[in-house]
Amino acid sequence: MDKEGHVLNAVLLGVGLGFILEPAGTLATLRTVVAVTIPVTLGALFPDVDTAFGKHRKTLHNLPVLALFVAFPLVFENLAFVWVGVLTHYVLDVLGSTRGIALFYPLSSSEFGFPAGVTTSSRFANAVTLVITAVELGVAAAVVHVLPQYVDVSAVTEIVAVLP
């Protein structure tokens, strides 16, 4: 996917997650949407920084980088959802594009992708992005509401509490 697709996915995912985590439709929902959307969007853009250095879809598109961002909230609580953006970037590049990413780089340069993806210049790229985003939101809703024992939403509550 290109940057437009990653931003589209991140913003829609952030808004959707905000409503999944705080479905009341009140000011608290708006605060949750903001608290989730900004770090998710930052995380979704980060992997493509490797277009400026290194090897694109290898240097910052791998499991060690994702692990770093999953651990990120231990140090930076206010950006607890950056890892979601990085993960969804990977999902879009693996499922939505024809090329895939080097998940095990630097140990292996082999790229993994889904055979049904589209090229980034395809007129169907945004449609594929929307389908993947809908599936991601369905999974998130299932995890938060059907399997709540596996999710700690207290990070969202703490972040929202400090917003004006």
Side-chain angles (χ1 to χ4, degrees):
M1 290 295 131
D2 59 9
K3 287 178 183 64
E4 175 187 320
H6 289 299
V7 170
L8 175 65
N9 172 260
V11 170
L12 293 175
L13 192 61
V15 171
L17 287 172
F19 276 92
I20 288 169
L21 295 169
E22 181 56 60
T26 63
L27 184 57
T29 304
L30 177 61
R31 289 177 179 207
T32 303
V33 166
V34 171
V36 173
T37 301
I38 291 171
V40 167
T41 303
L42 291 172
L45 290 172
F46 179 78
D48 281 341
V49 170
D50 69 6
T51 58
F53 70 91
K55 297 177 181 178
H56 183 54
R57 293 210 178 177
K58 288 182 176 49
T59 306
L60 297 176
H61 288 72
N62 55 63
L63 294 177
V65 171
L66 179 59
L68 174 73
F69 279 98
V70 168
F72 205 71
L74 298 174
V75 179
F76 304 103
E77 291 178 18
N78 61 333
L79 294 176
F81 291 93
V82 171
W83 72 270
V84 174
V86 174
L87 176 62
T88 194
H89 184 110
Y90 292 3
V91 168
L92 279 176
D93 282 353
V94 168
L95 296 179
S97 70
T98 54
R99 181 174 166 196
I101 62 174
L103 285 172
F104 301 103
Y105 188 83
L107 301 175
S108 170
S109 291
S110 298
E111 293 182 352
F112 297 90
F114 193 67
V118 297
T119 62
T120 56
S121 61
S122 169
R123 63 186 178 126
F124 300 109
N126 283 341
V128 169
T129 298
L130 293 174
V131 169
I132 291 171
T133 304
V135 171
E136 290 171 333
L137 286 170
V139 169
V143 169
V144 170
H145 294 296
V146 178
L147 303 167
Q149 66 270 26
Y150 297 108
V151 180
D152 178 15
V153 295
S154 63
V156 176
T157 310
E158 293 169 9
I159 294 166
V160 171
V162 298
L163 292 175

